[in-house]
Amino acid sequence: MFELLLNGFSVALSGLNIVLVFIGCFLGTVIGMLPGIGPINAIAILFPIVLQFELPPSSALIFFGGIFYGSQYGNSISSILLNVPGTSSAAVTCIDGNPLAKQGKAGPALAMSAVASFSGGTLSIFMLIFFAPYLSKLAIDFGPAEYFVLMVCAFTALTGFSQGSFIKAMFSAFLGLAIATVGIDELSFGGMRRFTFGIRELGDGIDFIVVVIGVFAVGELMLFLSDFASDKSQKIVPLNKVLLSFKEIKESAAGILRSCVTGFLVGVLPGAGATIASFLAYNTEKKLAGSKGKFGRGDLRGVAAPESANNSSAVGSFIPLLVLGVPGSETTAVMLAALITLGVTPGPTMLVDQPDMFWGVAASMFLGNLVLIILNLPMVRVLAKILLVPRWILMPLIAMLSIVGVYVINGSEFDLILMLIFGVVGFIMRKTGFPLAPLVLGLVLGGLIEVNFRRALTYSYGDYSTFYESPISIGLWVITFASLLVPLIFRFIKKQRQ
Amino acid sequence: MNLLSDRKYALAMLILSMVYCVSAILLDADFNPVNEKYYPFILSMIMILLSMALMVWPTRHTTSWPGGRNLQKIGLVLCAILVYSLVLHTVGFLISASVLMGICMWVFEADKKWIVLTSVICSVSFYIIFDRLLGLTLPAGLMNFF
Amino acid sequence: MKKLSVCVFIVFSMISFVMITPTWSGQKKPSGCECLAPAGAGGGWDFTCRVPAAQLMQKLDLIDGAMKVVNMSGSGGGKAFAHVVTSRNTDESLIVAASAATATRLAQKVYGDYKADDVRWVGALGMDYGVVVVGKDAPYKTLDDLVNQLKSDPRKAPIVGASSVGGWDHIKMLLVAKEAGIKNLRSINYIPFDNGGKALLEVVSGRAAAFTGDTSEIIGQLNAGEVRVLAVLSDNPVPALGDAKTAKSQGYNVIGGNWRAFYAPAGISDDAYGFWVSAVKAVAGSPEWTELREKNGLAEFTSFGKDFDTFVRKQIENVASISRELNIIK
């Protein structure tokens, strides 16, 4: 195996591929920083370059990998600094990242994000190398029923996202689930239109990016204006500290490791992806920190956990793509299409037929992560200074970037109006104490929960026992109940002792 | 700081959930777990229960709603974005974005002499970045000759 | 002052950059062409625009300059269709990617009141033939075995595919069932998945009895020996599938596949229409396309101009009639 990996390194370390990783990471980071534009668009945009230069497929995949990591890191930059997540998984990074930036600790937050992404990514590559063939079996064994139970399990993570009232957090999440039911239902004969109120555009459903940008970016704009004071000495946050101390890294290390494992396992399952991974990881770390943590008010561990999970799930999602030919996320779906266009058919035979491809990619992932941290750590100092830009230009710029970003995804004016509506919704929710992250989770999981619930019941002709038949489902139920009950039991024991 | 405001929100939640519930019931389908009606109905039931729960167990917190000039500013920005999305296709990106940017800058009390120049530079550079460099089409509208 | 001059310089360089844009110049070779992909990046329509249209038309020197690819997703292609009919009806520099799914949706009135007459059908340059596939350990050895199971107890034989319920993958299976004489087509348990690869895993794992989809979706798993092809819905065996039998040779006269094609706006001149037909013809006949087509698991299939128009209308009629039987449309 090591021989194969070494061979992989010789593929990855060829001059052309190194250059491609650099360019991919850099362009990805820049494009990822634009609100709403994530890895999917970045890859689609840069695909013609691959065709133009007639790159060999392995180089193309290496290039895409670079773009993928880069744009994910770019996303966390805009989440931390501007509170505008470009993807649903980055919405978790906002929770602690943005408060840190507002306290003048943008530097450490960005650096932590880079370090966590790097460690999460690198560690999960080891897991990819050792476990890929076995883990692909896991993806096969996951049927609709198992997916449904996994989603329920992910929902227990919500307990970590309430700001005071758990009921409000739950309602946010269910609102997200409800919004996800809008549109044409693919599972009914002829495609029933639900909750579209006669509006043609609603037939396609509500794109979660539109909601995310609405509630975060437009909501933030309104929030800022609502406390706007007209004095000229508009508060500019001083940069207290730019670098990360060794102590801070040490404190987060265990969390990064745990999140990396969670992220990787979730990433392997096609469809579950980075969002669930970051929510689960954040929740776990918050629970473990207990009352000592400053989670939600700016804790570096709250940045480290989702970023590590995020990146390792990105690595994990390469397993179903390369070993099964099944895209695990929208991003890998675009990669799959690109690969097929280049004449490569990923599938179970790829490990045997085209080992260069698989091992080359694994090796280039190491390289990609390394390049990312080399490129970005020195940039932290510069990036953090974005916050020193005067508000009268920074806020309008963020608003414009978001508005343009929302429009270009689908080229739809209607999306802009939706964004506006969700901006108002997000503003009201923040003012009234409803957390936004559960809304995002609900929205992302919504479609998956419903289709898998109905697929499973279609298989079983309405028999609910399908949800607890397989060992995987039973295991997931155990985890679900344990994560709900264990904290309660601990609290009970503590009370008894006092 | 009072419990009353949370109860008011709970009432709003309840109305929202009821509307959702009724529209789910009105869907033209049989009531069967695998159909398109069952799942949203279950969701709406849980949402109704949650709103009732909040009425029973409200939390204490304060809400300060914006008033006066700040409220007007928020209204102005929202209207400006609405108008922007309505005219974008006909007027085109460059003009409408410049105006919107200008309004936003004015609301944030930018120095007047900078507003025009900055907003034009911004919209032109956005057009170049998105439309030309990234190939994500923005409507040309009146500036079709470009 | 220095800052100002830098600003002025940037603005000027931006303007000069913007000015260099392609326009329709009225020469024989059109310039500033555009291909509209009615879905987001990564799908079949996107491929049709990016590879045979944008990449090869420029390479074969059929058009002047580059062809721009615009993605417009929405309503399963309905948004792009409406856009072409209402606001681009006379745009001679525009072609739009289409496939069997376009015809299915037109037949099922998914695009509202728009009809096949509202555009001009240019030509098709490849076909992804439909397949019926089972897992390697499945008890079904021939298409007859599967059909008999569907006749006797459809509850034991769930079918999976990538299209929505009533969509093209589902219809292909139903055409086979109808040919076999199954009366209650709704009794067949069809479960849709997000993409072909995911649906195929249901067959590999044994949860579903059979998969209905396209050739290109199964190549990877087929080469690994995880699945078997019961039937391919083509006239002649497809080379990419080895010795897989056609449905026709097993007594089921069903031909179905996902063709890759283009349409143009209805209001363009006959000259422009003729140009696009010949351009697509030229691409379809080029060795470059043959190579790319085979790499993508597409079989040879060409049909242009008037023939293609008739072909599309016939397919729409077929889908409409089976959709009426299923009560999808009135």
Side-chain angles (χ1 to χ4, degrees):
Chain A
M1 186 188 279
F2 284 100
E3 202 177 308
L4 285 166
L5 184 62
L6 280 180
N7 193 21
F9 267 107
S10 69
V11 173
L13 287 174
S14 77
L16 172 71
N17 290 349
I18 292 183
V19 173
L20 283 175
V21 169
F22 259 98
I23 299 177
C25 282
F26 179 72
L27 289 179
T29 311
V30 174
I31 295 178
M33 277 170 71
L34 302 171
I37 300 181
I40 305 167
N41 309 76
I43 290 174
I45 291 163
L46 298 173
F47 184 60
I49 297 180
V50 174
L51 288 178
Q52 195 79 48
F53 294 101
E54 296 183 354
L55 294 179
S58 59
S59 303
L61 199 59
I62 286 166
F63 185 50
F64 292 152
I67 300 171
F68 193 7
Y69 305 133
S71 58
Q72 244 170 355
Y73 184 69
N75 258 321
S76 48
I77 297 174
S78 56
S79 307
I80 292 171
L81 294 181
L82 314 174
N83 207 13
V84 180
T87 56
S88 49
S89 57
V92 186
T93 311
C94 287
I95 299 173
D96 277 287
N98 193 248
L100 279 170
K102 283 185 176 148
Q103 291 156 22
K105 291 181 199 148
L110 285 172
M112 179 54 90
S113 157
V115 169
S117 303
F118 170 75
S119 347
T122 311
L123 288 171
S124 55
I125 296 162
F126 280 108
M127 292 194 265
L128 173 88
I129 290 168
F130 289 111
F131 304 124
Y134 313 101
L135 281 171
S136 63
K137 298 265 187 320
L138 181 71
I140 294 175
D141 287 336
F142 251 75
E146 285 80 10
Y147 271 107
F148 175 73
V149 185
L150 176 74
M151 305 295 157
V152 174
C153 185
F155 242 71
T156 60
L158 283 180
T159 50
F161 287 87
S162 55
Q163 300 159 351
S165 167
F166 179 57
I167 298 171
K168 285 182 178 175
M170 283 298 276
F171 192 81
S172 282
F174 274 87
L175 191 64
L177 291 182
I179 293 169
T181 60
V182 173
I184 291 173
D185 173 35
E186 300 272 301
L187 269 73
S188 58
F189 260 98
M192 161 83 84
R193 298 172 75 86
R194 295 188 298 180
F195 314 110
T196 56
F197 308 104
I199 300 167
R200 193 179 169 78
E201 286 88 346
L202 279 179
D204 292 314
I206 296 173
D207 197 334
F208 69 79
I209 274 297
V210 176
V211 180
V212 168
I213 303 251
V215 294
F216 281 94
V218 180
E220 180 83 4
L221 184 75
M222 290 171 69
L223 206 64
F224 192 84
L225 277 176
S226 84
D227 307 321
F228 191 74
S230 280
D231 58 73
K232 286 285 159 193
S233 63
Q234 284 170 24
K235 47 180 188 239
I236 285 175
V237 194
L239 289 177
N240 292 335
K241 207 171 127 233
V242 177
L243 285 176
L244 202 57
S245 72
F246 184 67
K247 189 171 153 272
E248 285 162 332
I249 297 180
K250 221 171 87 184
E251 270 175 6
S252 310
I256 290 176
L257 194 68
R258 278 189 294 266
S259 310
C260 165
V261 176
T262 320
F264 185 71
L265 288 176
V266 178
V268 169
L269 302 169
T275 311
I276 299 182
S278 4
F279 273 84
L280 282 174
Y282 182 88
N283 182 50
T284 314
E285 293 315 308
K286 188 178 175 180
K287 288 279 163 61
L288 287 173
S291 51
K292 275 175 279 170
K294 286 189 294 175
F295 278 80
R297 284 166 287 134
D299 193 312
L300 276 173
R301 285 171 293 176
V303 175
E307 284 300 308
S308 163
N310 204 339
N311 265 50
S312 71
S313 90
V315 174
S317 70
F318 273 88
I319 291 184
L321 175 72
L322 296 177
V323 182
L324 297 170
V326 177
S329 62
E330 284 184 41
T331 315
T332 42
V334 177
M335 282 194 204
L336 177 67
L339 280 180
I340 291 176
T341 308
L342 293 167
V344 179
T345 317
T349 50
M350 196 159 147
L351 267 174
V352 187
D353 292 351
Q354 291 162 300
D356 272 13
M357 194 75 185
F358 183 86
W359 296 104
V361 169
S364 74
M365 285 176 174
F366 273 116
L367 210 64
N369 271 297
L370 205 62
V371 167
L372 207 57
I373 201 160
I374 294 172
L375 271 179
N376 287 310
L377 273 185
M379 290 280 285
V380 164
R381 221 175 259 275
V382 184
L383 285 169
K385 292 212 171 98
I386 290 179
L387 291 178
L388 297 178
V389 173
R391 289 287 141 143
W392 57 263
I393 177 79
L394 185 64
M395 292 306 281
L397 261 181
I398 298 171
M400 282 313 294
L401 270 176
S402 313
I403 290 167
V404 177
V406 162
Y407 176 81
V408 296
I409 310 168
N410 296 321
S412 153
E413 285 91 1
F414 182 75
D415 278 353
L416 285 172
I417 295 172
L418 271 182
M419 172 196 77
L420 204 57
I421 294 172
F422 280 103
V424 177
V425 170
F427 174 69
I428 295 174
M429 283 175 69
R430 271 199 241 196
K431 281 282 182 190
T432 54
F434 286 84
L436 295 178
L439 179 81
V440 175
L441 182 71
L443 196 65
V444 172
L445 295 192
L448 291 169
I449 290 187
E450 176 172 15
V451 293
N452 284 307
F453 175 73
R454 286 168 61 191
R455 275 177 198 152
L457 288 175
T458 313
Y459 265 133
S460 72
Y461 281 85
D463 183 356
Y464 285 91
S465 66
T466 177
F467 292 118
Y468 46 85
E469 259 171 358
S470 77
I472 295 180
S473 329
I474 295 171
L476 285 171
W477 282 119
V478 171
I479 297 175
T480 308
F481 285 111
S483 69
L484 286 177
L485 294 178
V486 169
L488 290 180
I489 295 169
F490 267 106
R491 217 181 292 165
F492 182 74
I493 295 172
K494 243 186 201 166
K495 255 187 197 163
Q496 293 286 304
R497 278 193 188 153
Q498 279 163 3
Chain B
M1 190 182 279
N2 58 30
L3 294 171
L4 201 69
S5 59
D6 247 16
R7 293 223 162 93
K8 267 190 260 167
Y9 309 148
L11 190 68
M13 280 158 57
L14 188 65
I15 294 170
L16 190 69
S17 320
M18 297 275 234
V19 171
Y20 185 59
C21 179
V22 171
S23 7
I25 291 173
L26 290 178
L27 284 175
D28 180 25
D30 327 328
F31 209 73
N32 177 326
V34 299
N35 270 4
E36 56 269 30
K37 193 171 177 173
Y38 188 82
Y39 172 82
F41 178 74
I42 298 284
L43 283 189
S44 70
M45 282 296 133
I46 300 175
M47 285 164 76
I48 288 175
L49 287 179
L50 284 171
S51 358
M52 288 176 172
L54 190 64
M55 263 182 220
V56 182
W57 297 292
T59 44
R60 289 182 179 276
H61 80 111
T62 38
T63 310
S64 62
W65 295 101
R69 219 175 138 63
N70 283 347
L71 191 65
Q72 282 170 11
K73 279 185 171 172
I74 292 179
L76 178 66
V77 170
L78 293 185
C79 285
I81 300 177
L82 183 68
V83 171
Y84 167 86
S85 42
L86 295 177
V87 302
L88 178 63
H89 192 74
T90 33
V91 176
F93 177 77
L94 287 173
I95 296 172
S96 37
S98 307
V99 174
L100 181 58
M101 182 80 188
I103 292 175
C104 283
M105 287 180 69
W106 181 78
V107 163
F108 280 96
E109 298 183 352
D111 211 327
K112 292 218 170 48
K113 61 176 184 259
W114 285 106
I115 290 183
V116 176
L117 186 64
T118 320
S119 47
V120 170
I121 291 179
C122 282
S123 60
V124 171
S125 38
F126 280 177
Y127 190 75
I128 290 174
I129 293 171
F130 283 92
D131 194 281
R132 291 297 136 95
L133 295 182
L134 300 180
L136 298 162
T137 324
L138 289 167
L142 297 176
M143 311 279 271
N144 218 349
F145 51 84
F146 261 163
Chain C
M1 203 55 219
K2 202 181 161 198
K3 260 188 193 164
L4 190 71
S5 57
V6 170
C7 285
V8 170
F9 172 74
I10 292 172
V11 171
F12 269 98
S13 53
M14 281 170 178
I15 290 172
S16 57
F17 190 82
V18 173
M19 297 293 264
I20 324 164
T21 52
T23 44
W24 180 266
S25 56
Q27 298 162 351
K28 195 149 192 332
K29 266 197 285 176
S31 63
C33 297
E34 177 181 330
C35 185
L36 186 64
W45 285 330
D46 187 52
F47 169 80
T48 312
C49 267
R50 286 186 200 273
V51 180
Q55 195 192 345
L56 290 183
M57 281 186 190
Q58 191 184 3
K59 208 172 181 180
L60 298 173
D61 212 18
L62 300 167
I63 52 169
D64 199 20
M67 180 183 255
K68 190 174 175 184
V69 176
V70 176
N71 293 87
M72 183 186 275
S73 56
S75 308
K79 188 177 168 188
F81 202 92
H83 171 76
V84 171
V85 178
T86 55
S87 35
R88 306 284 290 274
N89 197 34
T90 53
D91 191 340
E92 302 194 328
S93 60
L94 176 74
I95 50 170
V96 190
S99 69
T102 317
T104 310
R105 287 172 192 151
L106 277 169
Q108 294 177 344
K109 310 259 181 245
V110 177
Y111 296 170
D113 292 330
Y114 294 113
K115 299 179 300 296
D117 300 332
D118 293 332
V119 296
R120 293 183 88 164
W121 298 88
V122 175
L125 35 62
M127 175 86 96
D128 204 356
Y129 279 109
V131 283
V132 178
V133 170
V134 294
K136 65 167 190 264
D137 302 322
Y140 316 107
K141 302 287 175 224
T142 61
L143 196 53
D144 282 327
D145 292 347
L146 181 68
V147 164
N148 287 336
Q149 177 69 51
L150 288 175
K151 271 182 184 161
S152 59
D153 187 3
R155 291 175 72 109
K156 292 236 170 63
I159 310 289
V160 292
S163 80
S164 60
V165 176
W168 181 231
D169 283 343
H170 190 186
I171 299 254
K172 275 182 290 193
M173 191 66 216
L174 294 179
L175 287 169
V176 173
K178 197 177 155 194
E179 180 79 8
I182 293 175
K183 288 279 167 315
N184 183 8
L185 292 179
R186 281 220 181 202
S187 71
I188 292 171
N189 196 5
Y190 174 83
I191 303 159
F193 282 81
D194 315 334
N195 52 58
K198 233 181 142 188
L200 205 56
L201 287 191
E202 297 294 303
V203 177
V204 171
S205 69
R207 281 186 292 272
F211 164 87
T212 160
D214 296 326
T215 307
S216 65
E217 292 168 329
I218 65 160
I219 302 276
Q221 297 284 2
L222 183 72
N223 290 343
E226 294 289 332
V227 295
R228 277 186 284 124
V229 181
L230 286 191
V232 49
L233 308 180
S234 59
D235 273 311
N236 303 307
V238 173
L241 296 177
D243 53 0
K245 286 185 181 143
T246 62
K248 216 172 173 182
S249 71
Q250 299 178 63
Y252 301 85
N253 190 13
V254 180
I255 308 293
N258 195 5
W259 33 269
R260 304 296 161 89
F262 300 98
Y263 64 79
I268 62 171
S269 66
D270 285 341
D271 282 350
Y273 177 70
F275 166 77
W276 284 120
V277 171
S278 63
V280 174
K281 218 179 236 174
V283 170
S286 68
E288 285 93 342
W289 170 243
T290 311
E291 193 195 328
L292 280 163
R293 178 172 61 71
E294 277 166 6
K295 269 187 182 170
N296 280 276
L298 294 177
E300 195 177 352
F301 172 78
T302 47
S303 177
F304 308 103
K306 201 143 186 62
D307 292 342
F308 181 56
D309 190 78
T310 326
F311 172 85
V312 172
R313 278 156 209 280
K314 211 175 135 204
Q315 173 149 23
I316 290 178
E317 194 28 62
N318 284 344
V319 175
S321 90
I322 196 161
S323 303
R324 270 190 291 271
E325 273 176 56
L326 286 162
N327 269 331
I328 292 175
I329 52 170
K330 300 270 153 19

